[in-house]
mmCIF file with all atom_site columns, all heavy atoms in Angstrom:
data_model
loop_
_atom_site.group_PDB
_atom_site.id
_atom_site.type_symbol
_atom_site.label_atom_id
_atom_site.label_alt_id
_atom_site.label_comp_id
_atom_site.label_asym_id
_atom_site.label_entity_id
_atom_site.label_seq_id
_atom_site.pdbx_PDB_ins_code
_atom_site.Cartn_x
_atom_site.Cartn_y
_atom_site.Cartn_z
_atom_site.occupancy
_atom_site.B_iso_or_equiv
_atom_site.pdbx_formal_charge
_atom_site.auth_seq_id
_atom_site.auth_comp_id
_atom_site.auth_asym_id
_atom_site.auth_atom_id
_atom_site.pdbx_PDB_model_num
ATOM 1   N N   . LYS Z 1 1  ? 71.503 -29.458 120.832 1.00 0.00 ? 142 LYS Z N   1
ATOM 2   C CA  . LYS Z 1 1  ? 72.301 -28.934 119.725 1.00 0.00 ? 142 LYS Z CA  1
ATOM 3   C C   . LYS Z 1 1  ? 73.593 -28.329 120.270 1.00 0.00 ? 142 LYS Z C   1
ATOM 4   O O   . LYS Z 1 1  ? 73.616 -27.806 121.389 1.00 0.00 ? 142 LYS Z O   1
ATOM 5   C CB  . LYS Z 1 1  ? 71.506 -27.862 118.988 1.00 0.00 ? 142 LYS Z CB  1
ATOM 6   C CG  . LYS Z 1 1  ? 70.141 -28.319 118.505 1.00 0.00 ? 142 LYS Z CG  1
ATOM 7   C CD  . LYS Z 1 1  ? 69.351 -27.166 117.916 1.00 0.00 ? 142 LYS Z CD  1
ATOM 8   C CE  . LYS Z 1 1  ? 67.958 -27.614 117.497 1.00 0.00 ? 142 LYS Z CE  1
ATOM 9   N NZ  . LYS Z 1 1  ? 67.167 -26.486 116.934 1.00 0.00 ? 142 LYS Z NZ  1
ATOM 10  N N   . PRO Z 1 2  ? 74.656 -28.343 119.491 1.00 0.00 ? 143 PRO Z N   1
ATOM 11  C CA  . PRO Z 1 2  ? 75.933 -27.772 119.972 1.00 0.00 ? 143 PRO Z CA  1
ATOM 12  C C   . PRO Z 1 2  ? 75.805 -26.317 120.413 1.00 0.00 ? 143 PRO Z C   1
ATOM 13  O O   . PRO Z 1 2  ? 76.472 -25.901 121.359 1.00 0.00 ? 143 PRO Z O   1
ATOM 14  C CB  . PRO Z 1 2  ? 76.842 -27.914 118.750 1.00 0.00 ? 143 PRO Z CB  1
ATOM 15  C CG  . PRO Z 1 2  ? 76.298 -29.090 118.015 1.00 0.00 ? 143 PRO Z CG  1
ATOM 16  C CD  . PRO Z 1 2  ? 74.808 -29.008 118.186 1.00 0.00 ? 143 PRO Z CD  1
ATOM 17  N N   . GLU Z 1 3  ? 74.954 -25.560 119.740 1.00 0.00 ? 144 GLU Z N   1
ATOM 18  C CA  . GLU Z 1 3  ? 74.803 -24.149 120.098 1.00 0.00 ? 144 GLU Z CA  1
ATOM 19  C C   . GLU Z 1 3  ? 74.078 -23.954 121.429 1.00 0.00 ? 144 GLU Z C   1
ATOM 20  O O   . GLU Z 1 3  ? 73.952 -22.824 121.910 1.00 0.00 ? 144 GLU Z O   1
ATOM 21  C CB  . GLU Z 1 3  ? 74.067 -23.378 118.996 1.00 0.00 ? 144 GLU Z CB  1
ATOM 22  C CG  . GLU Z 1 3  ? 72.711 -23.942 118.620 1.00 0.00 ? 144 GLU Z CG  1
ATOM 23  C CD  . GLU Z 1 3  ? 72.776 -24.895 117.444 1.00 0.00 ? 144 GLU Z CD  1
ATOM 24  O OE1 . GLU Z 1 3  ? 73.773 -25.642 117.314 1.00 0.00 ? 144 GLU Z OE1 1
ATOM 25  O OE2 . GLU Z 1 3  ? 71.792 -24.899 116.655 1.00 0.00 ? 144 GLU Z OE2 1
ATOM 26  N N   . GLU Z 1 4  ? 73.631 -25.037 122.034 1.00 0.00 ? 145 GLU Z N   1
ATOM 27  C CA  . GLU Z 1 4  ? 72.990 -24.950 123.341 1.00 0.00 ? 145 GLU Z CA  1
ATOM 28  C C   . GLU Z 1 4  ? 73.964 -25.210 124.479 1.00 0.00 ? 145 GLU Z C   1
ATOM 29  O O   . GLU Z 1 4  ? 73.558 -25.313 125.640 1.00 0.00 ? 145 GLU Z O   1
ATOM 30  C CB  . GLU Z 1 4  ? 71.796 -25.906 123.391 1.00 0.00 ? 145 GLU Z CB  1
ATOM 31  C CG  . GLU Z 1 4  ? 70.709 -25.475 122.397 1.00 0.00 ? 145 GLU Z CG  1
ATOM 32  C CD  . GLU Z 1 4  ? 69.500 -26.352 122.376 1.00 0.00 ? 145 GLU Z CD  1
ATOM 33  O OE1 . GLU Z 1 4  ? 69.664 -27.596 122.279 1.00 0.00 ? 145 GLU Z OE1 1
ATOM 34  O OE2 . GLU Z 1 4  ? 68.379 -25.809 122.438 1.00 0.00 ? 145 GLU Z OE2 1
ATOM 35  N N   . THR Z 1 5  ? 75.223 -25.294 124.135 1.00 0.00 ? 146 THR Z N   1
ATOM 36  C CA  . THR Z 1 5  ? 76.260 -25.356 125.155 1.00 0.00 ? 146 THR Z CA  1
ATOM 37  C C   . THR Z 1 5  ? 76.239 -24.056 125.946 1.00 0.00 ? 146 THR Z C   1
ATOM 38  O O   . THR Z 1 5  ? 76.330 -22.963 125.373 1.00 0.00 ? 146 THR Z O   1
ATOM 39  C CB  . THR Z 1 5  ? 77.633 -25.546 124.494 1.00 0.00 ? 146 THR Z CB  1
ATOM 40  O OG1 . THR Z 1 5  ? 77.682 -26.850 123.908 1.00 0.00 ? 146 THR Z OG1 1
ATOM 41  C CG2 . THR Z 1 5  ? 78.747 -25.402 125.518 1.00 0.00 ? 146 THR Z CG2 1
ATOM 42  N N   . ALA Z 1 6  ? 76.096 -24.184 127.262 1.00 0.00 ? 147 ALA Z N   1
ATOM 43  C CA  . ALA Z 1 6  ? 75.963 -22.989 128.095 1.00 0.00 ? 147 ALA Z CA  1
ATOM 44  C C   . ALA Z 1 6  ? 75.931 -23.383 129.560 1.00 0.00 ? 147 ALA Z C   1
ATOM 45  O O   . ALA Z 1 6  ? 75.784 -24.556 129.912 1.00 0.00 ? 147 ALA Z O   1
ATOM 46  C CB  . ALA Z 1 6  ? 74.683 -22.236 127.738 1.00 0.00 ? 147 ALA Z CB  1
ATOM 47  N N   . LEU Z 1 7  ? 76.032 -22.375 130.397 1.00 0.00 ? 148 LEU Z N   1
ATOM 48  C CA  . LEU Z 1 7  ? 75.723 -22.539 131.813 1.00 0.00 ? 148 LEU Z CA  1
ATOM 49  C C   . LEU Z 1 7  ? 74.221 -22.370 131.960 1.00 0.00 ? 148 LEU Z C   1
ATOM 50  O O   . LEU Z 1 7  ? 73.662 -21.368 131.495 1.00 0.00 ? 148 LEU Z O   1
ATOM 51  C CB  . LEU Z 1 7  ? 76.429 -21.477 132.643 1.00 0.00 ? 148 LEU Z CB  1
ATOM 52  C CG  . LEU Z 1 7  ? 77.780 -21.823 133.272 1.00 0.00 ? 148 LEU Z CG  1
ATOM 53  C CD1 . LEU Z 1 7  ? 78.398 -20.601 133.906 1.00 0.00 ? 148 LEU Z CD1 1
ATOM 54  C CD2 . LEU Z 1 7  ? 77.646 -22.954 134.269 1.00 0.00 ? 148 LEU Z CD2 1
ATOM 55  N N   . TYR Z 1 8  ? 73.608 -23.328 132.586 1.00 0.00 ? 149 TYR Z N   1
ATOM 56  C CA  . TYR Z 1 8  ? 72.168 -23.292 132.788 1.00 0.00 ? 149 TYR Z CA  1
ATOM 57  C C   . TYR Z 1 8  ? 71.864 -22.929 134.237 1.00 0.00 ? 149 TYR Z C   1
ATOM 58  O O   . TYR Z 1 8  ? 72.375 -23.566 135.174 1.00 0.00 ? 149 TYR Z O   1
ATOM 59  C CB  . TYR Z 1 8  ? 71.546 -24.638 132.432 1.00 0.00 ? 149 TYR Z CB  1
ATOM 60  C CG  . TYR Z 1 8  ? 71.421 -24.839 130.945 1.00 0.00 ? 149 TYR Z CG  1
ATOM 61  C CD1 . TYR Z 1 8  ? 72.545 -25.042 130.152 1.00 0.00 ? 149 TYR Z CD1 1
ATOM 62  C CD2 . TYR Z 1 8  ? 70.179 -24.820 130.319 1.00 0.00 ? 149 TYR Z CD2 1
ATOM 63  C CE1 . TYR Z 1 8  ? 72.437 -25.199 128.774 1.00 0.00 ? 149 TYR Z CE1 1
ATOM 64  C CE2 . TYR Z 1 8  ? 70.053 -24.993 128.951 1.00 0.00 ? 149 TYR Z CE2 1
ATOM 65  C CZ  . TYR Z 1 8  ? 71.188 -25.182 128.189 1.00 0.00 ? 149 TYR Z CZ  1
ATOM 66  O OH  . TYR Z 1 8  ? 71.072 -25.350 126.826 1.00 0.00 ? 149 TYR Z OH  1
ATOM 67  N N   . TYR Z 1 9  ? 71.033 -21.908 134.403 1.00 0.00 ? 150 TYR Z N   1
ATOM 68  C CA  . TYR Z 1 9  ? 70.678 -21.413 135.721 1.00 0.00 ? 150 TYR Z CA  1
ATOM 69  C C   . TYR Z 1 9  ? 69.200 -21.640 135.998 1.00 0.00 ? 150 TYR Z C   1
ATOM 70  O O   . TYR Z 1 9  ? 68.359 -21.478 135.104 1.00 0.00 ? 150 TYR Z O   1
ATOM 71  C CB  . TYR Z 1 9  ? 70.937 -19.905 135.812 1.00 0.00 ? 150 TYR Z CB  1
ATOM 72  C CG  . TYR Z 1 9  ? 72.375 -19.493 135.662 1.00 0.00 ? 150 TYR Z CG  1
ATOM 73  C CD1 . TYR Z 1 9  ? 72.908 -19.211 134.409 1.00 0.00 ? 150 TYR Z CD1 1
ATOM 74  C CD2 . TYR Z 1 9  ? 73.204 -19.381 136.773 1.00 0.00 ? 150 TYR Z CD2 1
ATOM 75  C CE1 . TYR Z 1 9  ? 74.225 -18.821 134.256 1.00 0.00 ? 150 TYR Z CE1 1
ATOM 76  C CE2 . TYR Z 1 9  ? 74.528 -18.990 136.637 1.00 0.00 ? 150 TYR Z CE2 1
ATOM 77  C CZ  . TYR Z 1 9  ? 75.027 -18.709 135.379 1.00 0.00 ? 150 TYR Z CZ  1
ATOM 78  O OH  . TYR Z 1 9  ? 76.343 -18.320 135.241 1.00 0.00 ? 150 TYR Z OH  1
ATOM 79  N N   . CYS Z 1 10 ? 68.907 -21.973 137.248 1.00 0.00 ? 151 CYS Z N   1
ATOM 80  C CA  . CYS Z 1 10 ? 67.511 -22.024 137.646 1.00 0.00 ? 151 CYS Z CA  1
ATOM 81  C C   . CYS Z 1 10 ? 67.215 -20.820 138.530 1.00 0.00 ? 151 CYS Z C   1
ATOM 82  O O   . CYS Z 1 10 ? 68.117 -20.262 139.166 1.00 0.00 ? 151 CYS Z O   1
ATOM 83  C CB  . CYS Z 1 10 ? 67.179 -23.330 138.366 1.00 0.00 ? 151 CYS Z CB  1
ATOM 84  S SG  . CYS Z 1 10 ? 68.104 -23.628 139.887 1.00 0.00 ? 151 CYS Z SG  1
ATOM 85  N N   . ALA Z 1 11 ? 65.962 -20.434 138.549 1.00 0.00 ? 152 ALA Z N   1
ATOM 86  C CA  . ALA Z 1 11 ? 65.559 -19.257 139.300 1.00 0.00 ? 152 ALA Z CA  1
ATOM 87  C C   . ALA Z 1 11 ? 64.145 -19.450 139.802 1.00 0.00 ? 152 ALA Z C   1
ATOM 88  O O   . ALA Z 1 11 ? 63.376 -20.244 139.245 1.00 0.00 ? 152 ALA Z O   1
ATOM 89  C CB  . ALA Z 1 11 ? 65.648 -18.016 138.418 1.00 0.00 ? 152 ALA Z CB  1
ATOM 90  N N   . ALA Z 1 12 ? 63.806 -18.703 140.847 1.00 0.00 ? 153 ALA Z N   1
ATOM 91  C CA  . ALA Z 1 12 ? 62.473 -18.839 141.420 1.00 0.00 ? 153 ALA Z CA  1
ATOM 92  C C   . ALA Z 1 12 ? 62.009 -17.505 141.991 1.00 0.00 ? 153 ALA Z C   1
ATOM 93  O O   . ALA Z 1 12 ? 62.817 -16.635 142.333 1.00 0.00 ? 153 ALA Z O   1
ATOM 94  C CB  . ALA Z 1 12 ? 62.469 -19.898 142.518 1.00 0.00 ? 153 ALA Z CB  1
ATOM 95  N N   . THR Z 1 13 ? 60.708 -17.385 142.064 1.00 0.00 ? 154 THR Z N   1
ATOM 96  C CA  . THR Z 1 13 ? 60.110 -16.235 142.716 1.00 0.00 ? 154 THR Z CA  1
ATOM 97  C C   . THR Z 1 13 ? 58.863 -16.688 143.451 1.00 0.00 ? 154 THR Z C   1
ATOM 98  O O   . THR Z 1 13 ? 58.251 -17.700 143.086 1.00 0.00 ? 154 THR Z O   1
ATOM 99  C CB  . THR Z 1 13 ? 59.764 -15.130 141.695 1.00 0.00 ? 154 THR Z CB  1
ATOM 100 O OG1 . THR Z 1 13 ? 59.314 -13.973 142.375 1.00 0.00 ? 154 THR Z OG1 1
ATOM 101 C CG2 . THR Z 1 13 ? 58.681 -15.593 140.729 1.00 0.00 ? 154 THR Z CG2 1
ATOM 102 N N   . PHE Z 1 14 ? 58.509 -15.982 144.494 1.00 0.00 ? 155 PHE Z N   1
ATOM 103 C CA  . PHE Z 1 14 ? 57.330 -16.326 145.274 1.00 0.00 ? 155 PHE Z CA  1
ATOM 104 C C   . PHE Z 1 14 ? 56.129 -15.511 144.801 1.00 0.00 ? 155 PHE Z C   1
ATOM 105 O O   . PHE Z 1 14 ? 56.277 -14.543 144.079 1.00 0.00 ? 155 PHE Z O   1
ATOM 106 C CB  . PHE Z 1 14 ? 57.586 -16.076 146.758 1.00 0.00 ? 155 PHE Z CB  1
ATOM 107 C CG  . PHE Z 1 14 ? 58.676 -16.910 147.325 1.00 0.00 ? 155 PHE Z CG  1
ATOM 108 C CD1 . PHE Z 1 14 ? 59.752 -16.341 147.967 1.00 0.00 ? 155 PHE Z CD1 1
ATOM 109 C CD2 . PHE Z 1 14 ? 58.630 -18.291 147.211 1.00 0.00 ? 155 PHE Z CD2 1
ATOM 110 C CE1 . PHE Z 1 14 ? 60.775 -17.121 148.494 1.00 0.00 ? 155 PHE Z CE1 1
ATOM 111 C CE2 . PHE Z 1 14 ? 59.643 -19.079 147.732 1.00 0.00 ? 155 PHE Z CE2 1
ATOM 112 C CZ  . PHE Z 1 14 ? 60.717 -18.491 148.380 1.00 0.00 ? 155 PHE Z CZ  1
ATOM 113 N N   . GLY Z 1 15 ? 54.963 -15.936 145.228 1.00 0.00 ? 156 GLY Z N   1
ATOM 114 C CA  . GLY Z 1 15 ? 53.751 -15.229 144.815 1.00 0.00 ? 156 GLY Z CA  1
ATOM 115 C C   . GLY Z 1 15 ? 53.069 -15.973 143.696 1.00 0.00 ? 156 GLY Z C   1
ATOM 116 O O   . GLY Z 1 15 ? 53.603 -16.085 142.595 1.00 0.00 ? 156 GLY Z O   1
ATOM 117 N N   . TYR Z 1 16 ? 51.914 -16.516 143.986 1.00 0.00 ? 157 TYR Z N   1
ATOM 118 C CA  . TYR Z 1 16 ? 51.187 -17.284 142.994 1.00 0.00 ? 157 TYR Z CA  1
ATOM 119 C C   . TYR Z 1 16 ? 50.861 -16.425 141.782 1.00 0.00 ? 157 TYR Z C   1
ATOM 120 O O   . TYR Z 1 16 ? 50.572 -15.238 141.896 1.00 0.00 ? 157 TYR Z O   1
ATOM 121 C CB  . TYR Z 1 16 ? 49.904 -17.854 143.592 1.00 0.00 ? 157 TYR Z CB  1
ATOM 122 C CG  . TYR Z 1 16 ? 50.142 -18.833 144.703 1.00 0.00 ? 157 TYR Z CG  1
ATOM 123 C CD1 . TYR Z 1 16 ? 49.602 -18.630 145.970 1.00 0.00 ? 157 TYR Z CD1 1
ATOM 124 C CD2 . TYR Z 1 16 ? 50.905 -19.970 144.492 1.00 0.00 ? 157 TYR Z CD2 1
ATOM 125 C CE1 . TYR Z 1 16 ? 49.819 -19.538 146.984 1.00 0.00 ? 157 TYR Z CE1 1
ATOM 126 C CE2 . TYR Z 1 16 ? 51.135 -20.882 145.511 1.00 0.00 ? 157 TYR Z CE2 1
ATOM 127 C CZ  . TYR Z 1 16 ? 50.589 -20.656 146.751 1.00 0.00 ? 157 TYR Z CZ  1
ATOM 128 O OH  . TYR Z 1 16 ? 50.804 -21.546 147.759 1.00 0.00 ? 157 TYR Z OH  1
ATOM 129 N N   . ASN Z 1 17 ? 50.906 -17.049 140.639 1.00 0.00 ? 158 ASN Z N   1
ATOM 130 C CA  . ASN Z 1 17 ? 50.684 -16.328 139.398 1.00 0.00 ? 158 ASN Z CA  1
ATOM 131 C C   . ASN Z 1 17 ? 50.254 -17.315 138.320 1.00 0.00 ? 158 ASN Z C   1
ATOM 132 O O   . ASN Z 1 17 ? 50.620 -18.490 138.359 1.00 0.00 ? 158 ASN Z O   1
ATOM 133 C CB  . ASN Z 1 17 ? 51.969 -15.622 138.953 1.00 0.00 ? 158 ASN Z CB  1
ATOM 134 C CG  . ASN Z 1 17 ? 51.688 -14.391 138.119 1.00 0.00 ? 158 ASN Z CG  1
ATOM 135 O OD1 . ASN Z 1 17 ? 50.762 -14.367 137.314 1.00 0.00 ? 158 ASN Z OD1 1
ATOM 136 N ND2 . ASN Z 1 17 ? 52.477 -13.351 138.306 1.00 0.00 ? 158 ASN Z ND2 1
ATOM 137 N N   . SER Z 1 18 ? 49.481 -16.834 137.395 1.00 0.00 ? 159 SER Z N   1
ATOM 138 C CA  . SER Z 1 18 ? 49.052 -17.695 136.300 1.00 0.00 ? 159 SER Z CA  1
ATOM 139 C C   . SER Z 1 18 ? 50.019 -17.632 135.127 1.00 0.00 ? 159 SER Z C   1
ATOM 140 O O   . SER Z 1 18 ? 49.891 -18.395 134.180 1.00 0.00 ? 159 SER Z O   1
ATOM 141 C CB  . SER Z 1 18 ? 47.657 -17.303 135.837 1.00 0.00 ? 159 SER Z CB  1
ATOM 142 O OG  . SER Z 1 18 ? 47.656 -15.967 135.382 1.00 0.00 ? 159 SER Z OG  1
ATOM 143 N N   . ARG Z 1 19 ? 50.958 -16.706 135.196 1.00 0.00 ? 160 ARG Z N   1
ATOM 144 C CA  . ARG Z 1 19 ? 51.936 -16.583 134.131 1.00 0.00 ? 160 ARG Z CA  1
ATOM 145 C C   . ARG Z 1 19 ? 53.318 -16.448 134.741 1.00 0.00 ? 160 ARG Z C   1
ATOM 146 O O   . ARG Z 1 19 ? 53.498 -15.779 135.746 1.00 0.00 ? 160 ARG Z O   1
ATOM 147 C CB  . ARG Z 1 19 ? 51.646 -15.376 133.254 1.00 0.00 ? 160 ARG Z CB  1
ATOM 148 C CG  . ARG Z 1 19 ? 50.333 -15.440 132.509 1.00 0.00 ? 160 ARG Z CG  1
ATOM 149 C CD  . ARG Z 1 19 ? 50.200 -14.274 131.559 1.00 0.00 ? 160 ARG Z CD  1
ATOM 150 N NE  . ARG Z 1 19 ? 51.220 -14.312 130.514 1.00 0.00 ? 160 ARG Z NE  1
ATOM 151 C CZ  . ARG Z 1 19 ? 51.349 -13.389 129.576 1.00 0.00 ? 160 ARG Z CZ  1
ATOM 152 N NH1 . ARG Z 1 19 ? 50.540 -12.336 129.557 1.00 0.00 ? 160 ARG Z NH1 1
ATOM 153 N NH2 . ARG Z 1 19 ? 52.283 -13.477 128.661 1.00 0.00 ? 160 ARG Z NH2 1
ATOM 154 N N   . CYS Z 1 20 ? 54.294 -17.082 134.110 1.00 0.00 ? 161 CYS Z N   1
ATOM 155 C CA  . CYS Z 1 20 ? 55.664 -16.917 134.563 1.00 0.00 ? 161 CYS Z CA  1
ATOM 156 C C   . CYS Z 1 20 ? 56.405 -16.013 133.582 1.00 0.00 ? 161 CYS Z C   1
ATOM 157 O O   . CYS Z 1 20 ? 56.026 -15.907 132.413 1.00 0.00 ? 161 CYS Z O   1
ATOM 158 C CB  . CYS Z 1 20 ? 56.364 -18.265 134.697 1.00 0.00 ? 161 CYS Z CB  1
ATOM 159 S SG  . CYS Z 1 20 ? 56.351 -19.274 133.204 1.00 0.00 ? 161 CYS Z SG  1
ATOM 160 N N   . ALA Z 1 21 ? 57.435 -15.393 134.083 1.00 0.00 ? 162 ALA Z N   1
ATOM 161 C CA  . ALA Z 1 21 ? 58.128 -14.371 133.292 1.00 0.00 ? 162 ALA Z CA  1
ATOM 162 C C   . ALA Z 1 21 ? 59.328 -14.952 132.551 1.00 0.00 ? 162 ALA Z C   1
ATOM 163 O O   . ALA Z 1 21 ? 60.031 -15.820 133.063 1.00 0.00 ? 162 ALA Z O   1
ATOM 164 C CB  . ALA Z 1 21 ? 58.583 -13.238 134.199 1.00 0.00 ? 162 ALA Z CB  1
ATOM 165 N N   . GLY Z 1 22 ? 59.546 -14.423 131.378 1.00 0.00 ? 163 GLY Z N   1
ATOM 166 C CA  . GLY Z 1 22 ? 60.694 -14.838 130.584 1.00 0.00 ? 163 GLY Z CA  1
ATOM 167 C C   . GLY Z 1 22 ? 61.857 -13.879 130.692 1.00 0.00 ? 163 GLY Z C   1
ATOM 168 O O   . GLY Z 1 22 ? 62.751 -13.905 129.843 1.00 0.00 ? 163 GLY Z O   1
ATOM 169 N N   . VAL Z 1 23 ? 61.858 -13.065 131.715 1.00 0.00 ? 164 VAL Z N   1
ATOM 170 C CA  . VAL Z 1 23 ? 62.948 -12.118 131.928 1.00 0.00 ? 164 VAL Z CA  1
ATOM 171 C C   . VAL Z 1 23 ? 63.599 -12.392 133.266 1.00 0.00 ? 164 VAL Z C   1
ATOM 172 O O   . VAL Z 1 23 ? 62.913 -12.652 134.262 1.00 0.00 ? 164 VAL Z O   1
ATOM 173 C CB  . VAL Z 1 23 ? 62.457 -10.656 131.857 1.00 0.00 ? 164 VAL Z CB  1
ATOM 174 C CG1 . VAL Z 1 23 ? 62.038 -10.310 130.450 1.00 0.00 ? 164 VAL Z CG1 1
ATOM 175 C CG2 . VAL Z 1 23 ? 61.309 -10.425 132.818 1.00 0.00 ? 164 VAL Z CG2 1
ATOM 176 N N   . SER Z 1 24 ? 64.895 -12.308 133.314 1.00 0.00 ? 165 SER Z N   1
ATOM 177 C CA  . SER Z 1 24 ? 65.625 -12.682 134.516 1.00 0.00 ? 165 SER Z CA  1
ATOM 178 C C   . SER Z 1 24 ? 65.307 -11.777 135.702 1.00 0.00 ? 165 SER Z C   1
ATOM 179 O O   . SER Z 1 24 ? 65.350 -12.211 136.851 1.00 0.00 ? 165 SER Z O   1
ATOM 180 C CB  . SER Z 1 24 ? 67.126 -12.694 134.236 1.00 0.00 ? 165 SER Z CB  1
ATOM 181 O OG  . SER Z 1 24 ? 67.559 -11.418 133.778 1.00 0.00 ? 165 SER Z OG  1
ATOM 182 N N   . GLY Z 1 25 ? 64.962 -10.525 135.433 1.00 0.00 ? 166 GLY Z N   1
ATOM 183 C CA  . GLY Z 1 25 ? 64.688 -9.587  136.513 1.00 0.00 ? 166 GLY Z CA  1
ATOM 184 C C   . GLY Z 1 25 ? 63.463 -9.924  137.337 1.00 0.00 ? 166 GLY Z C   1
ATOM 185 O O   . GLY Z 1 25 ? 63.285 -9.387  138.431 1.00 0.00 ? 166 GLY Z O   1
ATOM 186 N N   . ALA Z 1 26 ? 62.643 -10.806 136.838 1.00 0.00 ? 167 ALA Z N   1
ATOM 187 C CA  . ALA Z 1 26 ? 61.422 -11.188 137.558 1.00 0.00 ? 167 ALA Z CA  1
ATOM 188 C C   . ALA Z 1 26 ? 61.693 -12.199 138.660 1.00 0.00 ? 167 ALA Z C   1
ATOM 189 O O   . ALA Z 1 26 ? 60.811 -12.486 139.462 1.00 0.00 ? 167 ALA Z O   1
ATOM 190 C CB  . ALA Z 1 26 ? 60.403 -11.752 136.579 1.00 0.00 ? 167 ALA Z CB  1
#
């Protein structure tokens, strides 16, 4: 959609987990 125009960033963190976080600080 046009409103999805943006810079898209990827991110990663170490440490096995069953849930991933929806906050950038993680």
Side-chain angles (χ1 to χ4, degrees):
K142 305 174 183 179
E144 56 266 35
E145 295 180 310
T146 292
L148 265 173
Y149 283 70
Y150 296 89
C151 61
T154 186
F155 298 125
Y157 296 122
N158 207 323
S159 60
R160 297 186 64 182
C161 55
V164 292
S165 58

